[in-house]
Amino acid sequence: NKKIYLADMAYSGAVKKADGSTYPISSVNYLRNDHNLTLYTSRKGASTGTAAGGVEFVIAPENNEVLSFGKAIKFKVSGASSAAGNMSIPSGGFVLSGHGNAANFMNGLADGDVLEVTLSLKMPNGAEVPARDVASGCPMILENGVVLDNDGALEQDQNGNPTRSRQPRTAVGYDATGKNLVMLVVDGLSDISVGAYPKVLADIMRYVGCDDAINLDGGGSSELYVKNLGICNVPSDGKERTVANGLYAVANVPVDNEIATIEFAQYRPLLKEKDQYTPVIYGYNKYGILIDTNVKGVKLSCDKKHGRIINKGITLQPIKEGEITLKATI
């Protein structure tokens, strides 16, 4: 329903056979460890990546039902089992992979047998989350408008004691309505910025209107990319880092190349005496989508006490120390 949930959530899963016996699903698309029963989907890739010594089945949902949290789904075993490991995952399909006790649980299953798969993801208050996509982050930094004291949750010294440091940070949050999402990056470990503590990151998220927010992977993984602008921050590695996952937003609106609003690319430039400043102007359509990164035909105006407009209306020349309010019109 296009709603985002942020919380320290509890995952659980189980497979039930026709005789009523059950076994927990330890994880989805993750490493299969000793005695684990792991569910793999085609999002994992072409194969499970498991070692030999377990038992694996291809399973297919009855009635083409979509696997989701909070709902029991009927599956049928498709084909024979394999102990070779690294089983191929059918496109859009599933593999159930067991080791040790989990493999013993699956012994005896045959082509056509029916299984019931249930996955659950719950909020701390016990409410079921009907999620279709999940990404991990740690820790929660803002909850119900309150900044959480989680500075020591991320870094530790060599003895395992919590430490505090300024780092590049990535955060995601939403406002009290749950309808407005904020994705934010703070630079660090560079000349442009020393970075932020998690509590400072939380304060920034609160300042821009968030009620709840979580810290995601930071350091060289912190990057903000916008179509038409490219990379908008300064990644601390000096280049893009290969990462496991990311979050992206796509506007579900018609194509519209007519400028409806304009904004300054720089919010608050600092000018020196005798500087001449020709601002870059961004143009947005009525849906708020950036469509022009250098709008032409703009006319500037300002208070004549501190500056004057030259160069046919597109350049500011300061004439007195102070703050100048600059206006752009098209």
Side-chain angles (χ1 to χ4, degrees), residues 13 22 27 68 80 95 98 113 121 227:
T22 63
S27 60
S68 58
V95 169
D113 285 350
L121 195 64
K227 184 182 179 182

Side-chain angles (χ1 to χ4, degrees), residues 139-211:
M140 287 290 292
I141 55 174
L142 184 64
E143 200 166 52
N144 297 320
V146 177
V147 173
L148 304 178
D149 189 9
N150 282 333
D151 271 5
L154 293 176
E155 293 96 20
Q156 296 179 340
D157 63 18
Q158 59 184 1
N159 298 316
N161 299 314
T163 62
R164 299 172 70 252
S165 63
R166 292 176 171 177
Q167 299 287 338
R169 307 283 184 187
T170 301
V172 173
Y174 51 80
D175 66 359
T177 69
K179 295 180 179 180
N180 295 301
L181 176 72
V182 172
M183 296 190 290
L184 183 141
V185 165
V186 174
D187 274 316
L189 303 179
S190 68
D191 293 340
I192 194 172
S193 171
V194 295
Y197 299 116
K199 285 179 69 174
V200 173
L201 181 67
D203 269 329
I204 297 171
M205 294 297 281
R206 186 166 59 102
Y207 178 80
V208 297
C210 290
D211 216 47

